[in-house]
Amino acid sequence: MTDVVIAGSGPTGLTLACDLARRGVGVRILEQRAAPHRESRGKGLTPDSIEAFGPLGVAERMTAVGRTGVTLRKYFDGAHISDTAVGDGLLIGQWQVEEVLRERLAEFGVQVEYGARLAGISQDAAGVTARLADGRAVRSRYLAGCDGGRSTTRGLLGIPFEGSTAEEEVMLLGDVAAPGLSREFWHQWFTSDGGGVLLCPIPGTESFQLQASRELDDRGEPLPPSLESFQRLFDRHARMPGILLAEPTWLSSWRVNVRMAARIREGRAFLAGDAAHVHPIAGGLGMNTGIQDATALGRALAAALTGQAGERVLDAYEAERLPVAEALLADTTRRMERVLAAVREPGVGTEAGLD
């Protein structure tokens, strides 16, 4: 019987797997996707996350892939108005974080098991049985659901996901090339008629992550994300006719989603990362909070498995991380309100920005 089975191979699940493996804990990591993705998604690591990666042996690898000292260049009605240093974090795409963690996990002798979708969970006094969609059963002492905002684990455990989801999508997201646009800056454009576009260079690639307010059709309905839509929005806000966007590798849309699991422990099963809480993207804290969840959960599980502590340490995980999630949701909601105000009132936007 495996010590811990982890559902989900995003930054949260991979961090947890690496942390447990380096402590000598037996671990399996299941992923319902057929293969890794290459989408930028979360694109920054905070100093706390880099510090957490130190004991895992990947902090230097992350800094080698990412970039520090990024400057946010702001424009209004096409004119450059200011340059601002972007904190002390590390600019790095989520898929790059996952790649580094997968490589480290492989050094511990553990591979992500792709195409493994959870279909059922049952528990008894000795462990957890995870039933997979292909009919297999995986037995472990503990189970960790790190499988994102639409967590199958959370659903199978019957844990309510309390909060709200906006009906209207408010933002387009994607990864595109922008030949001719300087990669020395994180570019942000606002216009006096409202709305905005942001293009952030992903280190070590030719891609920029694009964020933009939704484009509407003649009836006021949002248009689906597409390269053509990205180009129209870029032309409207950036006013740089020589720049043609190309090579879209990720096209998506986003709506405000503020939810938190009613509990993050159900017997021998636990939730971490977006499976436990989702929130506005303003501030870039989602991936980092998941990494911190994984660090806390890894510490608790290892202590319980090695006999250094009893059930108290497992209860302490929930007691520690639920208040953090609650504070995070409140903070990012306030940030998002400022971002939406910036889109509606461009004069405000030149200060508030789109995190």
Side-chain angles (χ1 to χ4, degrees):
M1 179 166 61
T2 302
D3 288 329
V4 181
V5 164
I6 299 167
S9 66
T12 303
L14 287 165
T15 298
L16 177 58
C18 286
D19 191 39
L20 292 172
R22 64 116 179 172
R23 297 173 187 268
V25 173
V27 62
R28 291 178 65 177
I29 181 165
L30 312 177
E31 171 57 57
Q32 66 178 5
R33 282 174 170 263
H37 71 88
R38 288 180 66 90
E39 300 166 357
S40 60
R41 300 188 187 181
K43 58 184 182 299
L45 294 174
T46 63
D48 285 346
S49 292
I50 296 296
E51 182 179 355
F53 284 147
L56 308 188
V58 295
E60 291 184 0
R61 302 186 199 189
M62 294 290 180
T63 55
V65 173
R67 176 183 169 189
T68 57
V70 179
T71 298
L72 176 63
R73 172 156 286 187
K74 297 182 180 182
Y75 309 80
F76 186 73
D77 281 344
H80 170 217
I81 58 170
S82 68
D83 289 340
T84 307
V86 183
D88 53 358
L90 180 72
L91 179 63
I92 183 172
Q94 181 173 318
W95 71 266
Q96 296 168 312
V97 171
E98 293 176 9
E99 187 171 70
V100 171
L101 289 170
R102 278 195 306 272
E103 291 173 354
R104 182 57 173 149
L105 189 59
E107 293 170 1
F108 291 119
V110 181
Q111 301 285 342
V112 176
E113 300 175 43
Y114 291 100
R117 182 169 62 84
L118 283 181
I121 298 171
S122 59
Q123 303 189 50
D124 55 40
V128 184
T129 300
R131 182 168 53 83
L132 305 186
D134 61 9
R136 290 180 295 153
V138 180
R139 184 74 172 161
S140 61
R141 294 181 67 183
Y142 297 101
L143 172 71
C146 306
D147 45 352
R150 298 177 180 178
S151 173
T152 300
T153 306
R154 188 185 62 240
L156 291 172
L157 292 173
I159 298 176
F161 206 33
E162 299 169 345
S164 62
T165 300
E167 294 184 9
E168 182 179 290
E169 294 174 340
V170 297
M171 187 178 293
L172 294 176
L173 298 164
D175 292 333
V176 294
L181 182 65
S182 172
R183 298 186 61 80
E184 293 302 309
F185 302 99
W186 184 338
H187 304 270
Q188 181 184 47
W189 294 270
F190 284 97
T191 52
S192 52
D193 59 351
V197 167
L198 181 149
L199 281 171
C200 176
I202 304 302
T205 76
E206 295 301 316
S207 291
F208 288 81
Q209 185 187 92
L210 180 144
Q211 296 180 17
S213 45
R214 293 304 306 262
E215 183 184 33
L216 305 179
D217 63 18
D218 294 339
R219 298 170 299 170
E221 296 294 324
L223 290 168
S226 67
L227 179 63
E228 293 75 21
S229 178
F230 284 4
Q231 185 69 57
R232 287 191 295 268
L233 288 164
F234 179 83
D235 291 344
R236 172 187 166 192
H237 297 292
R239 305 179 186 183
M240 300 175 71
I243 304 296
L244 297 178
L245 306 182
E247 301 176 28
T249 56
W250 176 45
L251 299 170
S252 186
S253 57
W254 178 84
R255 69 185 73 216
V256 177
N257 198 11
V258 183
R259 292 183 178 274
M260 187 170 74
R263 56 190 181 278
I264 56 176
R265 182 186 180 189
E266 184 70 27
R268 290 177 170 269
F270 301 83
L271 300 177
D274 286 355
H277 43 74
V278 294
H279 53 85
I281 60 177
L285 300 174
M287 177 167 63
N288 292 280
T289 305
I291 290 166
Q292 299 299 320
D293 285 352
T295 300
L297 183 55
R299 182 173 61 246
L301 288 171
L305 285 162
T306 59
Q308 297 175 14
E311 290 292 301
R312 297 188 313 277
V313 72
L314 298 177
D315 291 335
Y317 166 68
E318 184 174 69
E320 174 187 346
R321 297 309 298 174
L322 271 182
V324 171
E326 187 174 2
L328 173 73
L329 265 62
D331 178 48
T332 53
T333 297
R334 287 191 296 268
R335 289 173 183 254
M336 196 66 208
E337 288 170 353
R338 292 199 297 269
V339 169
L340 295 177
V343 172
R344 292 189 294 265
E345 303 176 43
V348 176
T350 59
E351 297 300 326
L354 284 171
D355 300 280

